[in-house]
Every structure is written in structure tokens, then in C-alpha cells.
Amino acid sequence: MWLSRGPVPDLAGWWRRLYADRLRSGFHPLLLEYEDDSLEPTPVAASAPDPSLFPRGTDAAVDVADVMGAEGVPRRDAAPGPVAGSAPDPDARAWGLAQRLCREGSVRSLALVEVGRSADLPVAVGWRGPANHVDAAGLTAVLRSWEDRFGIRVVGFGHSTLHVSVASPPTSYARAQALGREHYALCPDVFHEYPEADWDAYPSELMHLGDWRFWWD
């Protein structure tokens, strides 16, 4: 895994270029609030990413040789298949979220991680953001399911915050209710953070949201 040493100029633009090149390079870009955001990667044998991928002439362009991954995580495996129906392109939704996070200042750093799909990012970098409730492997298992069913893409991490884009939200209230229960099982703090949240209204919101934000205390 490569980490920027500080804020990256034109962060959204770099994310977009690296994301577009991920299938060729085998490295997936990840936006971070801080450059060492609760990460504990497990070292494994790997090749350094192509130096031409990285921004040059900035504080971010340093120490490219630090490459890490996670044992048991498939490398360069097949990306999830297309989401059924006429849903928006998952990659376009991911780009839209990346732009917004960068514009709002919610992220400022960048990592490149050798994974085949974005759902594997938490376990690949040993992310400890939700450690009080679920480990990285458990989180990745849930994200893989959502990636297949709802076209989610993991776009960014904060210290204990996860940002994912959603291309194919549930289309029925019953499915949205079931998804709401999955959200609560994974991250009860979604409702603790927003005590005014309405259990009856939440499924309706899930049917229209293009991204989800999770926060763990």
C-alpha cells in the first residue's frame, strides 16, 4: 500500500485517474481523512506500483516502495458484475461521491491498495475504524454482499467513518426495510448519531440515496 505523506493537490482528479487505471495497475485508490487513518496493513510479498501513477512535485510524492496487503484477500480478482436493471453506472456514482468528499474537505489524503474490488479495502489495509463493533474482515464480508446487490463502491475512510457510493438502491420498501436492519446490525451508531432518525422513514430514504455514510463511536 502506498500512502501520501500529506494533502494531495487536485485530490479528486488524482482519485479519478487512478480509479480509471485500477484494472490495469491492480491498485485501487482510497481517499482518507488523514494519511494514517487507523490503518494496520499486513505485509505480504508484492510489487511496487508503477511510479508513473503518483503525483510528482508535491509533498505526496514520496516513499512509493512501501507496499502492503492482507493475507487471505484475493489479489486482482474479478470485479463485481454489473448491477441488474437500469441503475446508474457504479463507477460514475463513485466519482460523484469522491468529488463531493474532496470539495467538502472530508478527505485530504490518498492511498493506493492492491485489491481487485473496493469491498476488500477495509481488510486489505487493516482499517480499525469500527473496531469496537466489527473487525475489518467482517466489514469486508458485508461490503462484498452490498457491492453485488446494490452496486456500492468504497470511496473513503475517516478515523471511524466509512463513505460508500450506491448505484442501485433498493426499489421496494420491503427490501429497503431489510437493508435498514442490515445497516443497524453493522453500525448501530447510525441511529445513535442521529437520534431524530425515524425507523419508518429510513427505508424510504434508502430507496433514493446515492451514497451511505457510516460512523462508529
Side-chain angles (χ1 to χ4, degrees):
M1 180 181 72
W2 174 87
L3 289 172
S4 68
R5 192 187 287 177
V8 177
D10 187 25
L11 182 57
W14 274 108
W15 184 93
R16 187 178 194 180
R17 288 188 287 273
L18 294 169
Y19 186 84
D21 197 51
R22 72 195 185 284
L23 297 180
R24 182 197 67 81
S25 70
F27 288 85
H28 202 294
L30 174 65
L31 294 172
L32 298 172
E33 185 176 359
Y34 302 104
E35 61 267 21
D36 58 350
D37 241 332
S38 304
L39 309 180
E40 288 186 347
T42 302
V44 297
S47 300
D50 182 348
S52 68
L53 296 174
F54 302 96
R56 291 293 174 183
T58 73
D59 291 339
V62 292
D63 299 333
V64 177
D66 182 21
V67 181
M68 302 180 183
E71 293 177 340
V73 178
R75 296 286 186 148
R76 306 183 189 213
D77 57 355
V83 178
S86 57
D89 175 25
D91 298 332
R93 278 287 171 88
W95 165 235
L97 176 58
Q99 283 182 294
R100 180 167 63 79
L101 294 176
C102 294
R103 183 174 63 249
E104 293 174 350
S106 300
V107 292
R108 63 177 194 154
S109 300
L110 183 70
L112 277 178
V113 187
E114 191 178 10
V115 293
R117 56 193 293 178
S118 71
D120 291 340
L121 285 166
V123 72
V125 301
W127 187 53
R128 295 178 288 107
N132 291 334
H133 192 73
V134 63
D135 63 16
L139 175 60
T140 284
V142 174
L143 292 173
R144 275 190 164 223
S145 174
W146 288 347
E147 201 169 48
D148 293 335
R149 290 185 289 147
F150 304 109
I152 69 114
R153 297 291 186 267
V154 176
V155 175
F157 295 152
H159 279 323
S160 56
T161 305
L162 168 66
H163 300 279
V164 305
S165 61
V166 186
S168 183
T171 56
S172 73
Y173 188 82
R175 288 191 69 199
Q177 276 186 312
L179 176 61
R181 290 191 289 269
E182 293 179 37
H183 278 204
Y184 182 78
L186 180 72
C187 183
D189 291 311
V190 166
F191 289 91
H192 295 165
E193 186 181 14
Y194 302 108
E196 72 280 4
D198 185 338
W199 265 108
D200 295 324
Y202 191 63
S204 297
E205 294 176 10
L206 290 178
M207 295 173 67
H208 302 287
L209 291 176
D211 60 81
W212 303 333
R213 174 184 177 274
F214 298 96
W215 171 83
W216 290 267
D217 190 1

